[in-house]
Amino acid sequence: MAPTLVYDDDCGFCTRSARFVARHGAVEIVGFSELSPSLRDRLPPDYRTCAHLVTEDAVYSCGESIERALAETELVPAPLFGVFRALPGYPSLREWGYRRIAENRGPIGRLLP
């Protein structure tokens, strides 16, 4: 199973971001409206609160899902994320950044092409 990024396909910014990741890596993308029952069963009950990366072995949510999806692309060297994860406070900072972007995705989406 290829890693699958599950995202809010009602959000234009989220859709463009997911398509960007899929173009640059071996990541499948599935919007919330397209979830199969088996994929939905693997997600947390409150899955609509953020993005998720589903792999054969795990489900990563919110900021970690984006980090793991980017690691599957050719855009950022995957070992770099291992360095980040070793930094004290990195997970909190990653999730804080994810929330700031998620809470402002409308204005951010209007700024990006």
Side-chain angles (χ1 to χ4, degrees), residues 43-67:
L43 299 175
D46 61 345
Y47 73 89
R48 289 185 173 272
T49 62
C50 65
H52 309 277
L53 186 73
V54 180
T55 68
E56 283 188 32
D57 303 326
V59 176
Y60 304 98
S61 298
C62 305
E64 189 173 20
S65 72
I66 302 306
E67 172 195 306

Side-chain angles (χ1 to χ4, degrees), residues 85-105:
R85 289 183 202 120
L87 296 173
Y90 170 71
S92 296
L93 180 62
R94 177 191 62 215
E95 297 308 316
W96 177 86
Y98 179 87
R99 280 287 144 219
R100 295 301 74 72
I101 291 170
E103 291 167 0
N104 294 288
R105 58 191 177 179

Side-chain angles (χ1 to χ4, degrees), residues 18-84:
R19 288 179 181 162
F20 178 83
V21 168
R23 270 195 316 274
H24 294 282
V27 176
E28 300 292 325
I29 57 173
V30 176
F32 291 159
S33 69
E34 302 169 330
L35 283 173
S36 67
S38 61
L39 188 54
R40 184 175 296 136
D41 287 346
R42 296 208 46 212
L43 299 175
D46 61 345
Y47 73 89
R48 289 185 173 272
T49 62
C50 65
H52 309 277
L53 186 73
V54 180
T55 68
E56 283 188 32
D57 303 326
V59 176
Y60 304 98
S61 298
C62 305
E64 189 173 20
S65 72
I66 302 306
E67 172 195 306
R68 300 275 177 165
L70 285 173
E72 295 289 333
T73 72
E74 300 169 356
L75 301 172
V76 181
L80 189 59
F81 291 110
V83 172
F84 291 155

